[in-house]
């Protein structure tokens, strides 16, 4: 089955009907471009000029759907019109076909048609003048220019402006899309930062509460239950305080009279004391070191999360926290006994190690965590330089769990950390 012809746009149909109606009005009044006695008029009958008029009116229906075909047929109709008395309506509609061929045609047609009509215009100026040798012959070239070259050039200008506007629209859409992608990425990064901060702030206190509440429920000793409830209360109060601080940060501006304090390395002693109160045997080995605020916060959170993991997973024994600053990096290392317990006292989600690694990588550092067999530290999945004393925090099978982060302390002011 042959494909159905597409219906011409309403504007094109209006142009075709308007041109045909105008030509018929002129024909009805007997108005033509040439007299019947003109030597160029080969078909002097009044009905002859209607044929080119009707044909070129039909071409107007194709001015957008098939502009090149419409121009070719319209050119033949215009040539036929020159051997009749002629109609101004035919010429006007032909100029519209030349304009539409450039505006709605292919890019190749838009490039070539103004050049072709320009060459035809020059030929229409030079050849008649060379043959006739009279100034009036130049008028032929001017008419050809007005009928062909002028509309084609106008169409090229309009098309260039339209293409420029379309390119600007596409650039605006791309810019909006990139801005939306940047906004989405910023939101995701902020969510990840908030998730890390919330996990590190709350996990330590909730783990201690869970462990000590289990002890209080399982042991029927008033003194032990009282000590466990005391620890639970202290961790509850501290957890609520940290939550208030975090909520204050998330609010717009918060309370400007009481800005939220950012944890620093000076608070490690209090952090270790809290871990000891929760039942860990912790030793802090830290040297005074001045580091940028992002590094200081990351180191504090790494130690805090490591102590939380030790509270939940480590076996009995000593936990060592060691900080050294040398060669432009801050070395944070936390070791705890590994093994000796069939299951952790509190289930973990695994987000702690992910958060510590993310904090380290945001500052351009390196992070390692894993079992470290033997006092020489040469076994296990990670080879770590051992600095613990011979009586260090070894598990029953001689292994320790080591968390190590190296954080650069230079050129971190502009790092995308958690400042």
């Amino acid at each position: 089955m042959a494909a159905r012809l597409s219906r011409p746009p309403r504007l094109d149909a209006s142009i075709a009907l308007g041109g045909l109606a105008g030509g018929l009005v002129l024909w009805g009044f007997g108005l033509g471009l040439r007299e019947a006695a003109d030597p160029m008029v080969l078909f002097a009958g009044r009905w002859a000029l209607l044929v080119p008029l009707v044909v070129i009116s039909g071409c107007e229906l194709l001015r957008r759907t098939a502009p090149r075909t419409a121009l070719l047929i319209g050119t033949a109709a215009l040539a036929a019109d020159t051997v009749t008395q002629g109609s101004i309506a035919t010429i006007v509609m032909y100029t519209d076909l030349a304009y539409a061929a450039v505006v709605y045609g292919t890019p190749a047609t838009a490039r070539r048609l103004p050049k072709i009509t320009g060459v035809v215009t020059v030929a229409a100026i030079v050849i008649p003048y060379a043959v006739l040798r009279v100034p009036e012959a130049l008028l032929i070239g001017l008419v050809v220019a007005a009928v062909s070259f002028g509309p084609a050039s106008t169409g090229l200008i309009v098309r260039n402006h339209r293409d420029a506007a379309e390119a600007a629209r596409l650039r605006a859409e791309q810019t909006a899309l990139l801005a939306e992608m940047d906004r989405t990425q910023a939101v995701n990064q902020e969510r990840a930062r908030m998730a890390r901060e919330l996990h590190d702030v709350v996990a330590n206190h909730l783990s201690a509460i869970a462990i000590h509440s289990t002890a209080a429920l399982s042991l029927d000793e008033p003194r032990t239950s009282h000590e466990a409830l005391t620890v639970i209360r202290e961790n509850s109060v501290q957890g609520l305080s940290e939550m208030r601080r975090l909520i204050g940060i998330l609010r717009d501006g918060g309370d400007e009279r009481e800005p939220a304090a950012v944890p620093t390395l000076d608070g490690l002693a209090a952090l270790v004391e809290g871990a000891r109160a929760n039942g860990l045997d912790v030793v802090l080995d830290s040297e005074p070191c001045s580091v940028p605020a992002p590094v200081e916060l990351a180191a504090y959170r790494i130690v805090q999360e490591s102590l939380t993991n030790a509270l939940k997973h480590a076996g009995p024994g000593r936990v060592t926290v060691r900080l050294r600053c040398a060669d432009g990096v801050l070395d944070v290392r936390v070791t705890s006994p590994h093994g000796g317990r069939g299951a952790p006292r509190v289930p973990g989600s695994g987000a702690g190690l992910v958060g510590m690694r993310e904090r380290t990588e945001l500052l351009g550092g390196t992070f390692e965590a894993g079992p470290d067999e033997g006092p020489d530290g040469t076994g296990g999945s990670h080879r770590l330089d051992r600095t613990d004393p011979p009586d260090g925090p070894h598990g029953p099978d001689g292994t320790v769990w080591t968390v190590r982060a190296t954080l650069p302390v230079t050129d971190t002011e502009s790092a995308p950390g958690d400042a």
Side-chain angles (χ1 to χ4, degrees):
M1 180 181 292
R4 295 179 59 185
L5 294 177
S6 60
R7 179 178 298 179
R10 183 175 298 179
L11 177 62
D12 296 351
S14 300
I15 293 175
L17 292 176
L20 179 61
L24 291 176
V25 170
L26 295 176
W27 175 81
F29 283 98
L31 298 177
L33 295 177
R34 291 174 289 276
E35 297 292 337
D38 193 311
M40 293 184 60
V41 178
L42 302 180
F43 301 95
R46 294 186 63 242
W47 294 93
L49 63 84
L50 292 180
V51 176
L53 177 65
V54 172
V55 171
I56 207 165
S57 298
C59 292
E60 287 284 18
L61 298 175
L62 306 176
R63 62 190 296 273
R64 266 191 280 194
T65 57
R68 186 174 178 179
T69 301
L71 181 63
L72 292 176
I73 298 176
T75 302
L78 182 65
D81 185 71
T82 59
V83 296
T84 66
Q85 288 183 324
S87 173
I88 188 64
T90 302
I91 297 177
V92 171
M93 284 190 284
Y94 181 80
T95 59
D96 180 68
L97 293 178
Y99 167 84
V102 177
V103 174
Y104 304 114
T106 62
T109 301
R111 290 192 305 268
R112 295 171 183 171
L113 190 58
K115 298 178 181 178
I116 294 174
T117 55
V119 171
V120 172
T121 299
V122 172
I125 294 175
V126 173
I127 294 176
Y129 182 76
V131 174
L132 301 177
R133 296 291 181 175
V134 292
E136 290 78 4
L138 298 176
L139 296 176
I140 300 176
L142 296 180
V143 172
V144 172
V147 172
S148 60
F149 180 71
S153 301
T154 303
L156 182 61
I157 295 173
V158 172
R159 182 173 183 134
N160 288 338
H161 282 290
R162 187 189 66 182
D163 293 344
E166 180 67 15
R169 185 185 66 80
L170 292 177
R171 285 196 299 269
E173 291 181 353
Q174 292 175 354
T175 302
L177 180 60
L178 291 175
E180 179 64 19
M181 292 174 62
D182 291 341
R183 187 193 69 81
T184 303
Q185 184 178 9
V187 170
N188 292 335
Q189 291 177 350
E190 182 64 14
R191 286 177 177 174
R193 187 190 71 84
M194 291 169 57
R196 287 194 302 269
E197 192 72 11
L198 184 61
H199 178 276
D200 294 344
V201 165
V202 178
N204 184 38
H205 299 298
L206 292 183
S207 298
I209 291 173
I211 291 172
H212 285 278
S213 61
T214 302
L217 292 174
S218 60
L219 298 177
D220 189 13
E221 296 181 7
R223 181 179 178 182
T224 303
S225 299
H226 183 271
E227 292 177 353
L229 292 174
T230 301
V231 174
I232 290 173
R233 182 186 182 280
E234 291 177 353
N235 279 277
S236 300
V237 173
Q238 293 175 4
L240 287 174
S241 177
E242 291 285 353
M243 285 296 296
R244 291 193 189 98
R245 183 187 69 82
L246 184 59
I247 291 173
I249 294 175
L250 297 179
R251 286 177 177 172
D252 294 337
D255 189 354
E256 298 180 356
R257 297 171 300 175
E258 189 177 345
V262 178
T264 64
L265 295 181
D266 294 336
L268 287 180
L271 185 64
V272 169
E273 288 298 327
R276 289 171 182 166
N278 291 332
L280 286 179
D281 180 12
V282 187
V283 175
L284 176 61
D285 181 12
S286 176
E287 296 179 350
C289 183
S290 177
V291 297
V295 177
E296 201 167 16
L297 176 60
Y300 181 93
R301 293 304 187 197
I302 290 172
V303 172
Q304 184 183 41
E305 180 58 28
S306 299
L307 293 178
T308 301
N309 288 341
L311 180 64
K312 293 190 293 185
H313 303 282
R318 176 173 297 176
V319 179
T320 302
V321 178
R322 179 179 178 274
L323 279 81
R324 292 288 185 272
C325 189
D327 299 329
V329 297
L330 175 64
D331 184 83
V332 180
R333 187 178 308 192
V334 181
T335 56
S336 58
H338 179 63
R341 179 182 292 118
R345 289 182 284 181
V346 178
S349 63
L353 291 177
V354 174
M356 289 189 285
R357 185 178 300 277
E358 288 179 350
R359 289 183 185 275
T360 304
E361 291 177 350
L362 284 172
L363 295 173
T366 58
F367 177 81
E368 294 176 307
D372 189 13
E373 296 180 358
D376 58 349
T378 59
S381 59
H382 296 273
R383 182 181 179 87
L384 302 173
D385 296 332
R386 297 291 298 129
T387 58
D388 297 318
D391 59 346
H394 302 146
D397 57 354
T399 62
V400 297
W401 181 272
T402 303
V403 174
R404 181 182 180 185
T406 57
L407 306 173
V409 298
T410 58
D411 298 332
T412 57
E413 295 297 334
S414 59
D418 292 330

